[in-house]
């Protein structure tokens, strides 16, 4: 379908997906989905209200006994069909993702959609491998075993930077483990989350297992997190909003999974392959126009390589092509909105008072002026405690700072409240190994930055949250571990009863 995809036609029935069908929201408020490359509205829809959240939770609660009661093999088979439908809809999903986010189509078609299909295939297999300790006689008189059981209705909230992938990361492990789910995507990017849920229905996943409520965070989101029938909340977004979600979830003693902000260091030792580090820094900083919580944002470069690294990054950034997201030659699309572009520009403009903007630092004119574009930006000369070094900018901005000793480089890299991702660049085995041990982040890359795979977990330390997406480790979030213990003695009065009955 590609460019023939028309959101107004596809979602004429509304932008809520509850119990296997589209419906209109009941909040009384409308939301525009805007193409950030042009500023044009591609869909106007009614936002979800609290009644819609209640209906979605009720649908998920009704579907839970049947879905959780299936065998792992039956859920696995359904998820394999789901993966096949997603693969068949790849072109439409990529187009819709680029339309609502401004992503270059080579990113959405080459990264977001294939990654999502792979996630679905992985969890189709993982559904049959819920692990626990082997049954054994740990006490001598009893046989113990561990059951992993589904929790119930999950209420998840996903961000706008990777709407399709974040929907998959939230939904797939939850339903593979036997749960049902209500997902609230960002209200400005609901298209691919809705298409994801529709694909599940096409694949034969029962109505109510996957539900989507497209609403505002303060209304639909907070009601979902606070809902008494929701047993767990999974949230990806800013640390500030994550704190609010945590407060609401803990008020009703919900299980909580948070994937929050990041300020990833990019640590370059003096024995690094300079060309590899330069290419890695530009790609790692500019992926998704820098709107990635694992993006390379703080490059620390050992002084012998510092000047050459800055020159190389600046030269490469100046070759990056901004343009129409649907042009296959476009490297960098717009930011998600003009508001976000202005926020990024504010960081850079304030930095001019204390640092040097080496390249970029402005919005392009001409044909791109109508969109939310911003040039790739390189900043040097900033202090470690300055705003551009400490705050999450979430845009195409890289700050480079020098360091002298290995100890200093690792200390500076760890000098942040965040801990989501980091990378270290060195051809030395011992240096690289030290970095993997001492960098405090949930993911540490060596001589690369950004790649993720379905088989490995994603999640952070400290202010970046806790819990894991992807991989079999995500089942720790979405299952309840139950110890079952069987007496093997057939003796009425046990030896331990003497602690109650005495010597009678």
């Amino acid at each position: 379908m590609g460019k023939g995809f028309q959101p107004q036609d596809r979602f004429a029935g509304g932008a809520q997906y509850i119990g296997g069908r589209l419906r209109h929201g009941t909040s009384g408020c409308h939301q525009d989905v805007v193409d950030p490359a042009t500023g044009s509205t591609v869909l106007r829809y009614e936002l979800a209200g609290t009644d819609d959240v209640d209906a979605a939770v009720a649908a998920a609660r009704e579907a839970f006994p049947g879905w959780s009661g299936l065998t792992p093999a039956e859920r696995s088979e359904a998820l394999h069909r789901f993966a096949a439908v997603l693969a068949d809809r790849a072109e439409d999903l990529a187009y819709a993702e680029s339309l609502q986010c401004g992503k270059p189509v080579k990113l959405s078609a080459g990264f977001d959609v294939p990654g999502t299909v792979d996630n679905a295939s992985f969890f189709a297999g993982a559904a049959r491998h819920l692990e626990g300790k082997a049954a054994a006689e740990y006490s001598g008189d009893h046989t113990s075993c561990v059951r992993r059981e589904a929790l119930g209705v999950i209420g998840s909230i996903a961000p706008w930077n990777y709407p399709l992938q974040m929907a998959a990361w939230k939904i797939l492990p939850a339903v593979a483990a036997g749960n049902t789910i209500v997902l609230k995507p960002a209200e400005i990017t609901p298209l691919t989350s809705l298409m994801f849920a529709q694909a599940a229905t096409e694949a034969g996943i029962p109505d109510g297992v996957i539900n989507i409520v497209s609403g505002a965070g303060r209304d639909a989101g907070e009601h979902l997190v606070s809902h008494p029938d929701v047993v767990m909340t999974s949230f990806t977004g800013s640390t500030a909003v994550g704190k609010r979600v945590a407060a609401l979830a803990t008020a009703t003693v919900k299980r909580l999974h948070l994937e929050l902000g990041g300020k990833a260091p990019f640590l370059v030792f003096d024995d690094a392959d300079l060309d590899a580090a330069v290419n890695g820094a530009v790609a790692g900083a500019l992926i998704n126009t820098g709107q990635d919580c694992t993006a390379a944002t703080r490059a620390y470069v050992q002084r012998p390589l510092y000047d050459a690294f800055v020159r190389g990054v600046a030269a490469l950034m100046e070759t990056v092509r901004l343009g129409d997201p649907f042009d296959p030659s476009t490297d960098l699309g717009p930011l998600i909105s003009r508001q976000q572009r202005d926020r990024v520009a504010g960081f850079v403009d304030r930095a001019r008072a204390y640092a040097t903007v080496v390249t970029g630092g402005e919005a392009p004119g001409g044909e791109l002026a109508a969109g939310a574009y911003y040039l790739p930006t390189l900043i040097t000369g900033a202090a470690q405690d300055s705003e551009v070094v400490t705050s999450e900018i979430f845009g195409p901005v890289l700050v480079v700072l020098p360091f002298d000793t290995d100890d200093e480089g690792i200390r500076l890299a760890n000098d942040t409240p965040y801990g989501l991702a980091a990378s270290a660049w060195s051809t030395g085995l011992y240096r690289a190994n030290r970095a993997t041990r001492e960098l405090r982040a949930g993911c540490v890359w060596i001589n690369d930055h950004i790649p993720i795979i379905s088989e490995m977990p994603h999640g952070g330390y400290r202010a970046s949250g806790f819990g894991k997406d992807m991989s079999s480790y995500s089942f720790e979030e979405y299952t309840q571990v139950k110890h079952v213990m069987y007496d093997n003695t057939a003796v009425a009065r046990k030896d331990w009863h003497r602690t109650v009955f005495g010597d009678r």
Side-chain angles (χ1 to χ4, degrees):
M1 189 180 293
K3 287 197 174 185
F5 172 80
Q6 296 295 327
Q8 290 286 8
D9 295 335
R10 179 68 176 265
F11 302 113
Q16 318 303 324
Y17 198 74
I18 299 172
R21 56 193 57 82
L22 291 171
R23 54 188 278 179
H24 294 287
T26 61
S27 70
C29 300
H30 288 76
Q31 174 69 45
D32 290 337
V33 177
V34 176
D35 176 358
T38 64
S40 60
T41 296
V42 299
L43 176 68
R44 183 173 174 80
Y45 72 93
E46 298 89 349
L47 285 164
T50 57
D51 288 347
D52 303 303
V53 173
D54 290 343
V57 172
R61 186 179 180 185
E62 182 178 356
F64 176 72
W67 181 249
S68 62
L70 295 178
T71 66
E74 288 169 328
R75 286 196 297 272
S76 175
E77 183 180 354
L79 290 172
H80 277 300
R81 295 196 304 268
F82 188 18
V85 173
L86 290 170
D88 189 55
R89 304 287 183 271
E91 185 179 355
D92 288 355
L93 288 165
Y95 180 81
E97 193 79 335
S98 289
L99 185 65
Q100 67 181 350
C101 298
K103 294 173 185 283
V105 72
K106 68 180 181 182
L107 176 63
S108 58
F111 182 78
D112 295 52
V113 174
T116 299
V117 174
D118 187 67
N119 283 170
S121 295
F122 170 80
F123 280 107
R128 302 182 74 162
H129 296 282
L130 294 176
E131 294 181 350
K133 279 191 174 183
E137 288 67 48
Y138 296 98
S139 79
D141 290 337
H142 307 81
T143 297
S144 288
C145 66
V146 170
R147 291 177 56 87
R148 280 192 179 272
E149 297 180 346
L151 300 172
V153 178
I154 312 299
S156 292
I157 299 176
W160 47 257
N161 57 334
Y162 289 100
L164 177 61
Q165 284 202 308
M166 293 297 99
W169 287 15
K170 300 298 182 195
I171 291 170
L172 290 169
V175 300
N179 301 286
T180 56
I181 190 167
V182 178
L183 174 77
K184 192 200 87 66
E187 61 269 32
I188 60 175
T189 55
L191 302 184
T192 47
S193 297
L194 292 164
M195 295 166 71
F196 189 83
Q198 288 177 313
T201 299
E202 290 180 51
I205 292 177
D207 294 348
V209 172
I210 299 172
N211 306 275
I212 308 294
V213 289
S214 307
R218 288 193 177 276
D219 299 319
E222 294 202 358
H223 190 62
L224 177 62
V225 173
S226 303
H227 201 288
D229 290 334
V230 170
V231 298
M232 174 188 163
T233 291
S234 178
F235 170 81
T236 296
S238 71
T239 299
V241 177
K243 291 178 180 178
R244 173 63 176 165
V245 170
L248 291 170
T250 54
T252 49
V253 200
K254 286 179 170 56
R255 183 175 292 196
L256 187 60
H257 168 218
L258 299 174
E259 199 263 271
L260 307 177
K263 191 70 176 174
F266 187 100
L267 184 61
V268 183
F269 294 104
D270 59 13
D271 65 346
D273 180 324
L274 179 62
D275 186 50
V278 166
N279 281 274
V282 173
L286 301 185
I287 181 77
N288 202 34
T289 318
Q291 298 167 127
D292 187 310
C293 48
T294 64
T297 59
R298 301 178 290 136
Y300 296 98
V301 184
Q302 207 151 23
R303 209 169 292 273
L305 293 185
Y306 177 80
D307 290 339
F309 180 87
V310 169
R311 288 193 300 270
V313 168
L316 188 54
M317 277 188 169
E318 289 167 3
T319 70
V320 172
R321 299 163 297 190
L322 279 68
D324 177 3
F326 295 102
D327 184 337
S329 68
T330 293
D331 299 319
L332 201 70
L335 291 152
I336 190 66
S337 66
R338 290 188 180 184
Q339 180 182 12
Q340 179 66 11
R341 181 197 62 189
D342 293 346
R343 179 181 179 275
V344 170
F347 277 103
V348 177
D349 291 343
R350 291 189 296 274
R352 297 179 197 277
Y354 57 80
T356 300
V357 178
V358 177
T359 190
E362 61 182 359
E367 294 180 354
L368 302 182
Y373 290 89
Y374 197 77
L375 292 174
T377 300
L378 177 64
I379 297 175
T380 61
Q384 176 69 10
D385 62 354
S386 61
E387 182 186 48
V388 290
V389 176
T390 60
S391 298
E392 189 174 27
I393 298 173
F394 228 56
V397 179
L398 177 66
V399 184
V400 185
L401 299 90
F403 69 93
D404 291 304
T405 67
D406 290 14
D407 287 350
E408 181 190 16
I410 290 174
R411 177 180 61 79
L412 292 171
N414 284 333
D415 183 21
T416 175
Y418 298 108
L420 186 59
S423 66
W425 298 72
S426 171
T427 56
L429 174 63
Y430 296 106
R431 261 181 168 168
N433 280 345
R434 180 188 178 188
T436 65
R437 292 192 308 271
E438 297 187 17
L439 289 173
R440 296 197 298 269
C443 176
V444 177
W445 293 283
I446 299 297
N447 296 325
D448 208 343
H449 195 108
I450 287 297
I452 53 175
I453 50 176
S454 297
E455 290 84 355
M456 288 290 113
H458 177 86
Y461 293 8
R462 299 178 292 168
S464 291
F466 48 83
K468 300 300 179 185
D469 288 310
M470 298 198 299
S471 82
S472 59
Y473 291 97
S474 64
F475 288 135
E476 301 296 330
E477 318 303 324
Y478 295 103
T479 58
Q480 179 66 54
V481 173
K482 177 188 288 185
H483 171 214
V484 178
M485 199 172 198
Y486 302 88
D487 170 58
N488 291 329
T489 67
V491 173
R493 182 167 291 191
K494 317 295 185 190
D495 181 60
W496 71 266
H497 291 178
R498 70 186 187 280
T499 62
V500 178
F501 304 140
D503 57 1
R504 287 175 288 158

